[in-house]
Amino acid sequence: MTIEEFSNEFDTLLNSYATINQFGKVENPATIELDEYEKSVFLTKAQEEIVIDLYSGKNPLGDSFEKTEEVRRYLSDLIKTYTTTDKKVGYVGLSKTSIFFELPKDLWFITYESAGLEDSRLGCMNGEEISVIPVTQDDYFRISKNPFRGANKRRALRLDIGNGIVEIVSEYNIGRYLVRYVARPEPIVLTDLPDNLSINEVSTKTECKLNPVIHRAILEKAVQLALISKAPNAGK
């Protein structure tokens, strides 16, 4: 669905909602008028809510991202892989061996992560890729001394410290960090916006980048959000 189709069908669907009495007569028809910026806001919000629902399993299919091929296809355009060797300094970790990396700005949900070892003490294992396991701070203090659940030759631990920075705790030095993730979708912007307006820092006309199969679901949800916003009793 193009942005022109999104815009036109948004207006048509939005104003198709009218109160009809028992004799089939339309009562108090009212036209809701939204400008292109307002429609863009509702479409973007609807898109984000649908992505979150699909990822978490709160959708009509009842399946989360990893469970079915169908759901994975819906979100396939949002899957990205990021690798970095840029270690951040100036942070104090929970371990003397903590290493810090910055996550991509558009990251929403991590689906897989690993670390590349770079330590001469490892001998033939130097350069191996190991799993990175996310843990909370409470869990870290419980398992950090456990040889099976803590950091070891086969696994490192990841703690989130905010502002897009992660702390990786490894028994050995890490040379690179890889993360595969679901990215925040680009907003749906129906027209170039004035200088003082933007949606998720985007102010230029932007098509929906998601799989076309869910475009209509985005449209219908956006209209419902608009109805609730403009007329709380509409659409019920």
Side-chain angles (χ1 to χ4, degrees), residues 170-188:
S170 174
E171 191 173 323
Y172 299 93
N173 186 56
I174 290 174
R176 65 188 179 279
Y177 175 57
L178 179 148
V179 57
R180 181 164 292 172
Y181 63 97
V182 177
R184 182 178 190 174
E186 292 184 39
I188 302 171

Side-chain angles (χ1 to χ4, degrees), residues 189 191-195 197-199 201-206:
V189 185
T191 188
D192 292 338
L193 302 175
D195 291 340
L197 293 177
S198 65
I199 301 174
E201 301 182 356
V202 175
S203 58
T204 56
K205 185 186 296 186
T206 306

Side-chain angles (χ1 to χ4, degrees), residues 79-208:
I79 306 305
K80 297 183 179 181
T81 301
Y82 169 81
T83 303
T84 181
T85 58
D86 183 16
K87 301 171 187 177
K88 298 301 176 181
V89 297
Y91 298 93
V92 178
L94 299 182
S95 167
K96 293 180 180 179
T97 61
S98 293
I99 302 173
F100 300 88
F101 294 100
E102 184 175 6
L103 295 172
K105 300 296 184 186
D106 63 346
L107 182 147
W108 258 12
F109 308 109
I110 295 176
T111 61
Y112 172 82
E113 55 190 318
S114 65
L117 297 176
E118 191 175 276
D119 197 314
S120 59
R121 293 175 296 166
L122 289 164
C124 64
M125 281 195 65
N126 192 20
E128 288 287 323
E129 203 81 12
I130 62 173
S131 298
V132 175
I133 309 300
V135 297
T136 64
Q137 293 186 33
D138 289 341
D139 284 340
Y140 173 76
F141 285 112
R142 283 202 302 268
I143 69 176
S144 59
K145 302 300 182 182
N146 187 317
F148 300 103
R149 300 185 62 199
N152 54 44
K153 286 185 178 181
R154 299 296 179 185
R155 55 186 277 160
L157 305 178
R158 185 252 296 170
L159 299 103
D160 294 292
I161 65 173
N163 297 319
I165 301 294
V166 292
E167 175 183 354
I168 307 297
V169 179
S170 174
E171 191 173 323
Y172 299 93
N173 186 56
I174 290 174
R176 65 188 179 279
Y177 175 57
L178 179 148
V179 57
R180 181 164 292 172
Y181 63 97
V182 177
R184 182 178 190 174
E186 292 184 39
I188 302 171
V189 185
L190 301 179
T191 188
D192 292 338
L193 302 175
D195 291 340
N196 62 325
L197 293 177
S198 65
I199 301 174
N200 294 348
E201 301 182 356
V202 175
S203 58
T204 56
K205 185 186 296 186
T206 306
E207 301 274 359
C208 179

Side-chain angles (χ1 to χ4, degrees), residues 33-121:
E33 294 185 1
L34 300 176
D35 60 31
E36 297 301 275
Y37 171 69
E38 291 175 302
K39 288 188 283 186
S40 299
V41 169
F42 287 122
L43 285 165
T44 298
K45 181 175 174 58
Q47 175 180 242
E48 292 181 349
E49 290 186 4
I50 285 175
V51 168
I52 292 172
D53 287 348
L54 285 170
Y55 178 79
S56 62
K58 297 177 183 177
N59 57 76
L61 298 174
D63 292 317
S64 61
F65 170 71
E66 293 292 347
K67 285 189 176 180
T68 68
E69 178 68 14
E70 182 176 0
V71 175
R72 285 195 292 272
R73 292 284 69 77
Y74 289 157
L75 300 182
S76 61
D77 293 324
L78 297 179
I79 306 305
K80 297 183 179 181
T81 301
Y82 169 81
T83 303
T84 181
T85 58
D86 183 16
K87 301 171 187 177
K88 298 301 176 181
V89 297
Y91 298 93
V92 178
L94 299 182
S95 167
K96 293 180 180 179
T97 61
S98 293
I99 302 173
F100 300 88
F101 294 100
E102 184 175 6
L103 295 172
K105 300 296 184 186
D106 63 346
L107 182 147
W108 258 12
F109 308 109
I110 295 176
T111 61
Y112 172 82
E113 55 190 318
S114 65
L117 297 176
E118 191 175 276
D119 197 314
S120 59
R121 293 175 296 166

